[in-house]
């Protein structure tokens, strides 16, 4: 039996069971290059796959999604075997023809994915064919000081004069204008598709908010420091300040019911991947949806995969930390997507900041 037939037999088999015996199957160790973010791909996260298969996973860290897409489009990343499009950016890769159509039967761990990720159309072409698989996700919450605010904040808290000088927003038009939309009562389904009149109303709200803010934060490190020094008590944030400060001061994360800003990473296989690496790439994709990767990245990185395969094995504290203690949160997901008239959003944002 040649190597290619061995690999094909592995991926077409029974998923986890086959991966578990994959070391014997991969008689000839090989290498797989994974282009991803440094937070997603640490050596300890991929060590079980390497042990199971005998294949070496080489990590190629991304600088930006735009750079990843450009590298795939121009062919300058011909050594990449697995890539990392975002859920909201997948359409660009599909339209650009840089990803292979996926054979879902070769990744049986898909069965364990949460329905909200399994059913998304964002990774499919117009004919319903799948080109990427969501594998890692998280939320961008409000971080707040529980010893200063008397109750859990909502987005409207960020517009409340009572907290003048203690608030912070991210210096990012897409999210900040959408938050203003939610604040004035526009439903989350329309928050990224605003009419001209709605965009004007958001502009008014943001200009009124501006004197209340301590800052528009640009780096999460800066925001963390502002929380640490007591200069900010509530902000639209990433989870980093909470993780950094939770043992030092009374901070918490809030997930407003009006809509939770989420992020989600996918994996895909480059369109030009050689046939002799295809089955190994499928096996790695299946691994990213499996228990070993989910356990490692939950315990070390505080991230959740899109599969519930290890959820009930994690402590309640860990489930809470990675937002899977209450799965009803998924009913409030909203994924930031740049609207067709994004140049108008950028103009509004510039006018707000100049006001």
């Amino acid at each position: 039996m040649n190597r290619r037939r061995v690999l094909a037999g592995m991926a077409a088999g029974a998923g986890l069971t086959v991966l578990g015996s994959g070391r014997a199957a991969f008689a000839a160790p090989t290498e797989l290059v994974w282009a991803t973010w440094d937070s997603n791909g640490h050596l300890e996260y991929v060590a079980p796959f390497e042990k199971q298969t005998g294949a070496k996973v080489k990590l190629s860290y991304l600088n930006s999604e735009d750079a990843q897409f450009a590298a795939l489009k121009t062919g300058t990343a011909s050594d990449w075997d697995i890539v990392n499009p975002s859920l909201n950016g997948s359409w660009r890769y599909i339209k650009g023809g840089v990803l292979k159509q996926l054979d879902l039967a070769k990744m049986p761990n898909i069965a364990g994915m949460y329905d909200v990720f399994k059913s998304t159309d964002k990774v499919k072409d117009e004919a319903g064919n799948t080109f990427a698989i969501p594998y890692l996700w998280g939320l961008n919450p409000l971080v707040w000081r529980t010893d200063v605010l008397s109750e859990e904040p909502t987005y409207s808290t960020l517009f409340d004069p009572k907290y003048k000088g203690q608030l912070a927003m991210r210096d990012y038009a897409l999210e900040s204008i959408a938050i203003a939309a939610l604040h004035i009562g526009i439903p989350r389904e329309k928050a990224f598709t605003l009419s001209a009149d709605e965009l004007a109303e958001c502009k008014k709200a943001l200009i009124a908010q501006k004197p209340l803010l301590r800052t528009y934060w640009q780096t999460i490190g800066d925001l963390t420091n502002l929380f640490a020094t007591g200069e900010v008590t509530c902000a639209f944030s990433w989870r980093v300040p909470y993780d950094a400060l939770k043992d030092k001061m009374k901070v918490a994360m809030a997930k407003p019911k009006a809509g939770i800003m989420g992020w989600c990473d996918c994996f895909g296989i480059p369109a030009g991947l050689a046939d002799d690496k295809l089955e190994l790439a499928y096996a790695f994709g299946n691994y990213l949806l499996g228990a070993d990767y989910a356990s490692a990245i939950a315990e070390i990185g505080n991230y959740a995969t899109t599969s519930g395969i290890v959820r009930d094995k994690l402590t309640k504290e860990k489930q809470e930390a990675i937002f899977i203690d209450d799965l009803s949160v998924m009913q409030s997901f909203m994924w930031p997507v740049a609207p067709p008239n994004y140049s108008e959003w950028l103009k509004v944002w510039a006018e707000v900041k100049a006001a």
Side-chain angles (χ1 to χ4, degrees):
M1 181 180 291
N2 63 32
R3 176 176 170 276
R4 187 172 175 178
R5 291 179 60 189
V6 169
L7 296 177
M10 173 184 173
L16 287 173
T17 302
V18 176
L19 277 172
S21 60
R23 188 176 181 80
F26 285 97
T30 185
E31 181 178 275
L32 183 102
V33 180
W34 181 24
T36 189
W37 306 109
D38 57 357
S39 57
N40 300 4
H42 292 182
L43 293 175
E44 57 266 48
Y45 298 166
V46 299
F49 179 80
E50 293 180 327
K51 184 177 180 180
Q52 291 160 10
T53 64
K56 176 70 176 177
V57 178
K58 183 179 179 182
L59 301 168
S60 180
Y61 292 139
L62 302 171
N63 292 320
S64 74
E65 182 156 12
D66 286 343
Q68 177 183 232
F69 178 75
L72 289 169
K73 193 67 178 173
T74 60
T76 57
S78 58
D79 62 327
W80 289 350
D81 304 317
I82 293 281
V83 294
N84 199 106
S86 68
L87 181 63
N88 289 322
S90 291
W91 64 270
R92 180 167 56 155
Y93 297 77
I94 297 169
K95 192 173 181 179
V98 299
L99 298 179
K100 279 187 182 295
Q101 180 183 330
L102 298 177
D103 182 349
L104 305 187
K106 293 180 179 295
M107 295 175 285
N109 284 337
I110 284 174
M113 292 172 67
Y114 298 113
D115 287 343
V116 69
F117 299 107
K118 195 190 305 181
S119 61
T120 181
D121 290 330
K122 293 179 181 294
V123 293
K124 300 177 182 177
D125 66 7
E126 293 180 353
N129 300 309
T130 300
F131 289 80
I133 302 292
Y135 77 98
L136 200 67
W137 65 281
L139 305 176
N140 292 331
L142 300 183
V143 173
W144 59 293
R145 288 271 302 271
T146 58
D147 57 337
V148 177
L149 277 67
S150 58
E151 58 185 13
E152 183 169 303
T154 68
Y155 288 127
S156 289
T157 304
L158 298 172
F159 297 79
D160 190 338
K162 182 166 62 175
Y163 302 109
K164 183 177 181 178
Q166 306 173 46
L167 307 168
M169 293 278 282
R170 186 183 179 193
D171 186 0
Y172 184 31
L174 186 63
E175 291 173 338
S176 294
I177 293 176
I179 286 172
L182 295 170
H183 164 61
I184 64 176
I186 294 173
R188 64 176 179 271
E189 293 81 6
K190 293 187 62 181
F192 295 108
T193 57
L194 301 174
S195 67
D197 288 344
E198 290 168 336
L199 197 54
E201 290 302 311
C202 290
K203 177 182 171 181
K204 288 180 184 176
L206 289 165
I207 289 175
Q209 179 201 45
K210 188 177 177 183
L212 310 180
L213 299 178
R214 172 64 179 80
T215 188
Y216 295 114
W217 62 270
Q218 297 192 1
T219 73
I220 198 63
D222 289 342
L223 180 61
T224 302
N225 289 333
L226 289 168
F227 270 108
T229 57
E231 294 175 79
V232 165
T233 61
C234 182
F236 174 71
S237 180
W238 299 345
R239 62 169 301 140
V240 176
Y242 170 78
D243 286 333
L245 301 171
K246 63 184 179 182
D247 296 327
K248 302 173 184 175
M249 57 198 312
K250 295 182 178 180
V251 292
M253 294 185 289
K255 296 166 281 187
K257 294 187 182 301
I260 308 295
M261 300 279 186
W263 59 267
C264 182
D265 287 342
C266 303
F267 64 80
I269 298 176
L273 185 68
D275 287 347
D276 64 348
K277 275 199 165 181
L278 188 56
E279 300 303 333
L280 182 59
Y282 274 123
F284 186 68
N286 197 48
Y287 172 80
L288 292 177
L289 299 173
D292 289 328
Y293 182 73
S295 297
I297 202 161
E299 296 295 347
I300 302 172
N302 266 336
Y303 290 124
T305 68
T306 55
S307 170
I309 195 168
V310 300
R311 176 177 180 268
D312 294 338
K313 298 176 182 177
L314 301 174
T315 65
K316 290 297 182 184
E317 290 75 16
K318 179 57 67 175
Q319 290 183 22
E320 182 180 6
I322 60 176
F323 307 115
I324 58 173
D325 57 317
D326 178 7
L327 296 182
S328 67
V329 70
M330 294 183 178
Q331 298 172 11
S332 302
F333 277 174
M334 53 191 296
W335 308 105
V337 180
N341 63 336
Y342 192 48
S343 60
E344 293 299 313
W345 286 50
L346 293 174
K347 180 181 177 184
V348 164
W349 188 237
E351 291 169 348
V352 168
K353 292 177 65 178

